[in-house]
Amino acid sequence: MAQMFVFLVVAACLFQGTVAAGPSSPPLVPFNWNGKSYGCRCYPGDACWPAQKEWKKLNTTVSGNLAVLVPPEAACHNTFNGLLGTIPTYDAAKCADVTARYPTEQWTNDQDATMLWKYPTNSSCTLTTDPTTPCGPGYYGTYVVRAKTKNHIKAGVDFANKHNLRVIVRNTGHDFLGRSTGYGGLIINTHSFQDVEFHKSWKPAKPGGYTGTAVTIAAGVQGRALLRQAIAQTPPVTLITGECPTVGIAGGFIQGGGHGMLTTTHGFAADNALSFEVLTADGKFVTANDKKNPDLFYGLKGGGPGNYGIVLSASIKTFSEKPSAGATLYINATLTTNSTLFWEGVRIFHSFANDFVDAGLYVYFTIAPPGTLRIKPFVAFDQTAGQLEATLSPLKTALTAAGVPFYSGPTNQYDSLFSLYIDLFDDESAGPPFLTSGWMFAKQDIETNNDEIVAAFQTALSPREDFTNQGYLIGHLFGPGHNTAIPPGISATNPRFRHNSNLVLYNLPVPVNATLAQKADIQSLMTNTLDRSMKEASPNGCAYVNEADPIREDWQGEFWGPEVYPKLKSLKKKWDPKGTFYAVSLPGTEEWDVIDYGRRLCKLL
């Protein structure tokens, strides 16, 4: 840490001769771009950039937990060419260690700012065996506060407000869309916040409120680690987490809605939130629940990740663990290489999507080129293996009747949902640069338009001749509206979700060294071909804010809908009127844009 701060001081000195210290409350920085006038956040090289003594003071305030961000990949390069100057970074042993750990999700989560999927970072410092290749900051921040206390977080936000800096909130880096990264900003890393407290009986904020079991988790707690603690309770409990084990629960997950194995039976994670502890944009610590700041409470339950404040902790309902059943099914090249037969199998499987959700299931599946359908697993919470097998029997009968060869593993009984989760869900790995989008398919469209939906899946795998068999598709069958006891409007999620059955994500690869023209072309392909084909196949569907292309024509309507969005836009104006917190395509951020080739966050004047 001491060595890192020495670099901070030296790097700051590089600018000391030419850059004056900014005023205590600097205005937006004037900037012209493409013939338009903007007011921007402050970046290195601007006159408002904080002087060396200001950074030293912040470092003292956060107990020595301030560092210049140097990406771990820099160990494989001779130098890191950062925004504050160039430093030597090559370390053969460290490079070998980073290279070995690089695909590991948890290792990535534990870094200062590294993203699991690199496209939003501009991939400007990559692993290499040639240390002479350049290594730059890309779209990462400049400094990071490795927060250990809530006052460290407050100090970071206050400092950013004082000096007109862009604030980046980062927990795990489990982020497809780049909302936890940003060029030249001040990163506030909340990953060290790991406190967990289970409650046998929740004390409601208002009379008549929920009094069942619950858990309070700090900002950095991740899904599988939390489920391990939940199963160890007496009696064991469970709760809604993402299927990926490293997803942070209290942050962007629940603020985007939060879906997982229990969503069909218990709704979104946001539907089950009880209370939040929050640092607001003006540096105040507040509680948000159905009695205190109920409007903020509503916004944090699905109204967009990191948009209204920084969540320090969240309290969420838990549920009794139950014996559960699980199964798998595959159609792949070892069974058939007949493309027509393969896609008939996909069509038949997807035609049962509504039936599976109506039976209370959660189903995770992938479709990969040239012809692999991997359904792993079917999840039946609080059901027996016999019940699950009865639900799956019509699917297997239909596949057999159509002559589609498939392999179906045994339908197994588990003593708990957690045991099923450990056995049937695979760990994921950090991935190369790719664009991600998604669409949630409406039950009525699956019922009446299934053939067109499956045709859209085919488009996603091969959207253009030069992208033949380069796409990939991930599906999640769940129904947030299956449990009719969940009150309408309990969270800020799009009401259309309550009538849907399948959330599909689809990816397109992007070359590491792609030019701006290549990136624009692939973005256009995603938006105008893949996204459009999905929406046309299911016009009654919607998009999930955490897992869909944010560069969409009507992101306000597709993420939240006309009933919810105006409320969220008003909340943004109330709780963050100066735009301290920004991420792409979130309520109330329309007046802000990232310009200058993905670098400066600015407001059009």
Side-chain angles (χ1 to χ4, degrees), residues 15-16 18-24 26 46-54 163:
F15 292 97
Q16 233 24 71
T18 58
V19 177
S24 58
D46 293 336
C48 55
W49 189 253
Q52 173 189 347
K53 64 180 181 180
E54 298 294 333
H163 296 284

Side-chain angles (χ1 to χ4, degrees), residues 192-532:
S192 72
F193 290 70
Q194 295 291 325
D195 291 342
V196 176
E197 180 184 2
F198 286 89
H199 309 278
K200 298 286 188 183
S201 178
W202 180 254
K203 183 178 180 180
K206 294 170 65 175
Y210 177 79
T211 58
T213 60
V215 64
T216 299
I217 57 173
V221 176
Q222 294 169 274
R224 185 161 62 190
L226 180 58
L227 291 175
R228 287 191 188 280
Q229 296 186 58
I231 193 70
Q233 300 303 301
T234 305
V237 294
T238 189
L239 68 155
I240 298 165
T241 67
E243 54 82 19
C244 176
T246 62
V247 171
I249 305 304
F253 175 72
I254 198 167
Q255 292 170 54
H259 63 84
M261 296 181 292
L262 290 174
T263 295
T264 299
T265 54
H266 293 289
F268 286 116
D271 299 336
N272 293 279
L274 298 166
S275 187
F276 296 93
E277 297 300 320
V278 185
L279 178 75
T280 61
D282 58 357
K284 296 178 181 177
F285 297 111
V286 302
T287 297
N289 55 36
D290 58 5
K291 183 177 182 181
K292 298 179 180 178
N293 303 304
D295 58 342
L296 178 60
F297 180 51
Y298 174 78
L300 293 172
K301 297 188 298 179
N307 199 37
Y308 313 98
I310 300 179
V311 171
L312 308 173
S313 70
S315 298
I316 311 165
K317 294 178 184 178
T318 60
F319 312 101
S320 298
E321 257 285 16
K322 300 288 185 180
S324 300
T328 60
L329 189 147
Y330 306 88
I331 305 172
N332 54 38
T334 62
L335 300 168
T336 181
T337 57
N338 184 316
S339 177
T340 301
L341 200 59
F342 169 77
W343 284 107
E344 176 62 8
V346 173
R347 188 197 66 78
I348 291 171
F349 159 68
H350 198 259
S351 72
F352 284 92
N354 292 344
D355 297 328
F356 295 149
V357 168
D358 290 344
L361 303 191
Y362 172 89
V363 184
Y364 184 87
F365 68 93
T366 59
I367 302 176
T372 297
L373 171 64
R374 182 177 187 264
I375 309 170
K376 184 184 181 186
F378 296 92
V379 178
F381 176 66
D382 194 20
Q383 295 187 37
T384 66
Q387 288 174 300
L388 177 55
E389 185 57 39
T391 299
L392 299 183
S393 180
L395 166 64
K396 296 177 181 179
T397 298
L399 290 172
T400 301
V404 177
F406 64 92
Y407 169 76
S408 180
T411 301
N412 291 328
Q413 186 71 50
Y414 295 88
D415 62 359
S416 65
L417 181 64
F418 182 74
S419 297
L420 181 156
Y421 177 62
I422 294 299
D423 186 43
L424 291 181
F425 283 88
D426 299 324
D427 284 2
E428 298 179 5
S429 61
F434 54 75
L435 273 179
T436 297
S437 191
W439 191 249
M440 186 85 183
F441 292 90
K443 296 183 76 172
Q444 69 180 91
D445 295 328
I446 294 172
E447 181 69 28
T448 63
N449 213 32
N450 189 55
D451 290 0
E452 287 75 10
I453 291 172
V454 173
F457 294 172
Q458 293 177 273
T459 298
L461 266 57
S462 298
R464 202 168 63 190
E465 187 175 354
D466 57 331
F467 275 84
T468 300
N469 288 334
Q470 292 195 42
Y472 189 76
L473 190 146
I474 304 167
H476 316 73
L477 302 186
F478 60 80
H482 175 70
N483 185 343
T484 57
I486 298 173
I490 191 173
S491 65
T493 52
N494 193 326
R496 284 194 172 194
F497 279 118
R498 309 299 168 171
H499 309 287
N500 292 359
S501 286
N502 183 15
L503 173 62
V504 167
L505 312 185
Y506 35 96
N507 306 325
L508 285 178
V510 181
V512 171
N513 297 315
T515 65
L516 290 174
Q518 285 177 301
K519 291 178 180 179
D521 174 61
I522 298 171
Q523 178 65 66
S524 176
L525 183 63
M526 175 65 79
T527 303
N528 298 314
T529 299
L530 277 73
D531 284 342
R532 183 169 296 169

